[in-house]
Amino acid sequence: MTLAQLFHLLGEARKLSNHDEFVVIGSLSVLGISEGSDIPDAMTMSQDVDCYTKVDPGRVFDLLQALGEGSDYEVQTSFYLDAVSPDLPTLPDGWQTRLLKISEGPLTAWFLEPNDAAVSKYARGEPRDIRWIRAGVEAGIVSLPTVRYRFRETVFLDTEEHAKAKSLCEADVSWFKTLRTSPSSRPKP
């Protein structure tokens, strides 16, 4: 998905909801850095835009029939709106103050900062989340030291979720060290 496609979807959501500010979380929140950044395809492969209306988060659920999975909009564009609650993801304290803002005309999208998204993805821990994080690390979009620091500012669902997230992050720290020291990653003379 591209930023233009995302704004088209949010434009349709605006027409139906009379809301002009949306918060985008999940994988496609990385589009918030798209101005001046080269984002790996592995980070923008998702077909669903996890978002909510900023002022009235519950209002976004009213849009599912017209813009959600299985809607005519998805059939026409192959993308759809996935209504979420701001309470859904596991995020570090202060994530709201780090939201990235992009406006197009009367429409404003607020995007989860990539390191905050990575914390949430480690908490969920699905293979596609790890691929997203690793693509972000390789591209310099996600900083593992920042993510590790933000773990200290995160209230996890329980000790099991915290332990799993920490373990996955530490595995990626080791992976990245190996990646940086492998002969194929060194500049050739």
Side-chain angles (χ1 to χ4, degrees):
M1 177 175 266
T2 65
L3 188 61
Q5 290 168 322
L6 181 132
F7 266 94
H8 184 269
L9 174 61
L10 295 181
E12 293 300 311
R14 179 181 180 269
K15 289 178 196 173
L16 295 169
S17 69
N18 293 319
H19 283 267
D20 55 9
E21 292 190 71
F22 295 86
V23 178
V24 179
I25 63 174
S27 296
L28 294 174
S29 63
V30 73
L31 293 172
I33 65 159
S34 66
E35 295 179 352
S37 296
D38 191 21
I39 302 171
D41 290 342
M43 296 183 84
T44 60
M45 291 175 50
S46 184
Q47 295 178 305
D48 61 312
V49 178
D50 299 323
C51 74
Y52 60 89
T53 44
K54 191 169 194 293
V55 176
D56 180 10
R59 179 74 168 101
V60 74
F61 291 94
D62 296 341
L63 305 174
L64 290 179
Q65 185 174 357
L67 302 174
E69 188 172 17
S71 67
D72 288 343
Y73 186 87
E74 182 193 11
V75 170
Q76 294 169 4
T77 65
S78 77
F79 301 109
Y80 64 94
L81 183 140
D82 191 4
V84 295
S85 163
D87 299 323
L88 172 69
T90 298
L91 291 168
D93 288 342
W95 66 270
Q96 298 96 331
T97 64
R98 292 186 292 270
L99 290 171
L100 308 170
K101 177 182 176 183
I102 298 178
S103 296
E104 285 193 11
L107 188 58
T108 299
W110 298 86
F111 297 87
L112 194 59
E113 191 272 335
N115 293 300
D116 289 334
V119 169
S120 179
K121 288 182 168 299
Y122 277 128
R124 191 166 66 175
E126 293 181 9
R128 63 184 170 164
D129 296 318
I130 303 307
R131 284 191 298 272
W132 185 95
I133 293 167
R134 287 185 173 191
V137 169
E138 287 183 294
I141 294 169
V142 172
S143 164
L144 290 175
T146 300
V147 172
R148 288 165 97 186
Y149 181 82
R150 291 195 184 156
F151 274 8
R152 292 186 274 174
E153 302 171 332
T154 303
V155 176
F156 288 88
L157 180 63
D158 53 31
T159 55
E160 184 179 319
E161 182 185 66
H162 185 207
K164 177 177 129 187
K166 187 175 180 182
S167 175
L168 290 169
C169 184
E170 293 309 312
D172 279 354
V173 168
S174 296
W175 159 81
F176 190 63
K177 284 179 184 174
T178 303
L179 183 71
R180 287 191 347 212
T181 59
S182 71
S184 64
S185 68
R186 290 189 210 128
K188 295 183 181 182

